[in-house]
Amino acid sequence: MKKELSNLNGASGDERPRDSPAPTETQMPAGVETGGRASYCCWKCSREQLKKFFWGVAVVLCICSSWAGSTQLAKLTFKKFDAPFTLTWFATNWNFLFFPLYYIGHVCKSAEKQSLKQRYRECCRFFGDNGLTVKVFFTKAAPFGVLWTLTNYLYLHAIKKINTTDVSVLFCCNKAFVFLLSWIVLRDRFMGVRIVAAILAIAGIVMMTYADGFHNHSVIGIALVVGSASMSALYKVLFKLLLGSAKFGEAALFLSILGVFNILFITCIPIILYFTKVEYWNSFDDIPWGNLCGFSVLLLTFNIVLNFGIAVTYPTLMSLGVVLSVPVNAVVDHYTSQIVFNGVRVIAIVIIGLGFLLLLLPEEWDVWLIKLLMRLKVRKKEETAEGNGDIGSGLQAKHRRTRPSFAR
């Protein structure tokens, strides 16, 4: 469900806004000195950072609300329409809108506008020199379409078994699975703090299972959502391994291709499930179309903001939106279901959340921490030395005042 293409988040977009060029020195007034220019640049940088931070808050709220809203709406849909795979298929079809929406943004924003055909051909270079061929479609797009469908289906099927709070918090473990797979497959840098985060995630899964007393439906539901998190992690690691990084247009085209794959090759599965009465409904009038469309729109919004929000804010802030959806779901579950927040469940939620936050630490966090501690230590020594100097000068002045003077 959460296709956080982490490599996309780190890619540089082809239409990312650029900073305006700084004025040349000949345009500055004659009385302005170097210190004035430095203060102007610092003010400009702080203003840009503040703007990026406020955009980040808006993106976090959008991610949190769309993800929590889609989860709750899926839970509500299953009360009238018990067909998780059909719901997965219906929502994935909306992926087709990614590239058209991207092209509309390109036309409205870009200074050098291209035709739809030109933009499509340029984005197709992401798949190689030959573009999007039939062979490339089946070797580089179809496997990801299968993983996308499995991730969504397992997540939605888990919502039928357990409450949305447990589902949302357990899915946060996918970030730990991404680290473990990247460490093994991609040979990423080993980080002790991320190993600790992975251990916390596994411990949280065990405690979450224990919180419900190892009941059959609870164990199955937890297994389903852990499987969904694993498929999501596998999707991201394989994308980075096989395709590398992508610009915004390339990412939009790739996600639209997943929607086309879903329409062409996955449509037969809901039909088979309907006629075998595995996922059956009496008539099309009984289908809650409002819930289905609402869920699809929220999921589409979530994926758009998650994949393209990097253009306006920091990736770390966007990741916070996923974990912040957990307390939102917890509040809704508290008033709408019979969930029991016992001590074990609360500890499991806190442990998984802590592991998720540890995984957000940058790779050089230990170097930054050492530098910060060294600066604080040096500053403390300077303040102590200044304090001793002030005391010494004060004593000398007092001594001079009390000394008798014989000068006339």
Side-chain angles (χ1 to χ4, degrees), residues 309-340:
I310 186 62
V312 294
T313 188
Y314 304 100
T316 303
L317 284 177
M318 296 194 307
S319 298
L320 289 176
V322 178
V323 73
L324 288 177
S325 66
V326 176
V328 175
N329 285 320
V331 171
V332 176
D333 284 346
H334 177 71
Y335 290 102
T336 60
S337 64
Q338 298 179 353
I339 184 174
V340 178

Side-chain angles (χ1 to χ4, degrees), residues 142-155:
F144 294 100
V146 174
L147 289 175
W148 180 289
T149 301
L150 286 175
T151 301
N152 294 330
Y153 171 69
L154 293 175
Y155 186 89

Side-chain angles (χ1 to χ4, degrees), residues 357-368:
L357 295 177
L358 288 177
L359 289 166
L360 296 181
L361 291 175
E363 291 187 358
E364 304 297 334
W365 73 275
D366 51 346
V367 178
W368 295 351

Side-chain angles (χ1 to χ4, degrees), residues 30-52:
V32 178
E33 299 180 353
T34 306
R37 291 196 299 269
S39 61
Y40 171 77
C41 293
C42 292
W43 176 79
K44 183 178 179 181
C45 291
S46 61
R47 185 180 63 176
E48 291 295 329
Q49 291 176 352
L50 189 63
K51 180 180 178 181
K52 208 168 186 179

Side-chain angles (χ1 to χ4, degrees), residues 389-407:
D390 293 340
I391 294 174
S393 61
L395 290 174
Q396 292 177 2
K398 182 178 180 181
H399 182 65
R400 286 194 298 268
R401 288 195 300 270
T402 57
R403 183 188 306 171
S405 175
F406 298 100

Side-chain angles (χ1 to χ4, degrees), residues 46-337:
S46 61
R47 185 180 63 176
E48 291 295 329
Q49 291 176 352
L50 189 63
K51 180 180 178 181
K52 208 168 186 179
F53 175 78
F54 281 122
W55 269 110
V57 173
V59 169
V60 166
L61 293 176
C62 185
I63 291 175
C64 177
S65 58
S66 60
W67 181 234
S70 63
T71 302
Q72 292 294 332
L73 198 56
K75 187 79 171 181
L76 184 64
T77 302
F78 290 143
K79 294 180 179 180
K80 301 178 180 179
F81 184 69
D82 189 9
F85 195 93
T86 303
L87 181 58
T88 300
W89 168 83
F90 182 80
T92 305
N93 288 338
W94 290 57
N95 278 16
F96 178 78
L97 297 175
F98 267 98
F99 190 73
L101 291 175
Y102 162 78
Y103 182 73
I104 293 174
H106 164 77
V107 171
C108 296
K109 186 178 180 181
S110 179
E112 298 179 359
K113 298 177 175 58
Q114 295 177 322
S115 66
L116 180 60
K117 188 175 182 180
Q118 290 174 334
R119 195 75 212 144
Y120 170 78
R121 287 182 175 178
E122 184 172 334
C123 293
C124 279
R125 296 176 185 174
F126 172 66
F127 297 100
D129 296 334
N130 297 326
L132 182 62
T133 61
V134 175
K135 181 181 178 180
V136 169
F137 179 83
F138 283 103
T139 57
K140 293 187 177 181
F144 294 100
V146 174
L147 289 175
W148 180 289
T149 301
L150 286 175
T151 301
N152 294 330
Y153 171 69
L154 293 175
Y155 186 89
L156 292 176
H157 200 31
I159 292 176
K160 289 178 53 182
K161 301 291 184 180
I162 56 179
N163 56 75
T164 57
T165 302
D166 293 352
V167 173
S168 59
V169 72
L170 287 170
F171 194 85
C172 291
C173 295
N174 79 314
K175 206 166 187 65
F177 298 158
V178 169
F179 163 70
L180 293 175
L181 285 174
S182 299
W183 180 40
I184 296 171
V185 178
L186 302 178
R187 306 296 182 184
D188 280 0
R189 178 188 171 189
F190 173 82
M191 292 182 61
V193 67
R194 294 187 179 180
I195 289 293
V196 173
I199 295 173
L200 290 176
I202 296 172
I205 294 172
V206 175
M207 293 185 68
M208 191 67 73
T209 308
Y210 177 77
D212 287 333
F214 293 96
H215 295 304
N216 186 38
H217 70 283
S218 177
V219 173
I220 294 175
I222 292 173
L224 288 170
V225 69
V226 171
S228 176
S230 302
M231 292 297 103
S232 174
L234 183 61
Y235 175 99
K236 284 183 261 189
V237 173
L238 285 180
F239 189 97
K240 190 173 182 180
L241 178 66
L242 300 178
L243 299 174
S245 60
K247 297 179 181 180
F248 292 146
E250 296 166 349
L253 177 61
F254 182 81
L255 293 171
S256 291
I257 290 172
L258 295 187
V260 173
F261 171 82
N262 186 75
I263 295 172
L264 295 178
F265 298 99
I266 306 296
T267 303
C268 59
I269 298 180
I271 296 175
I272 294 173
L273 294 177
Y274 175 80
F275 285 105
T276 56
K277 295 189 177 181
V278 176
E279 292 186 358
Y280 182 78
W281 54 93
N282 293 326
S283 64
F284 285 94
D285 295 334
D286 297 332
I287 298 176
W289 292 108
N291 291 349
L292 264 68
C293 294
F295 169 79
S296 302
V297 170
L298 287 175
L299 186 58
L300 180 67
T301 303
F302 170 80
N303 284 301
I304 289 175
V305 178
L306 192 65
N307 284 295
F308 306 125
I310 186 62
V312 294
T313 188
Y314 304 100
T316 303
L317 284 177
M318 296 194 307
S319 298
L320 289 176
V322 178
V323 73
L324 288 177
S325 66
V326 176
V328 175
N329 285 320
V331 171
V332 176
D333 284 346
H334 177 71
Y335 290 102
T336 60
S337 64

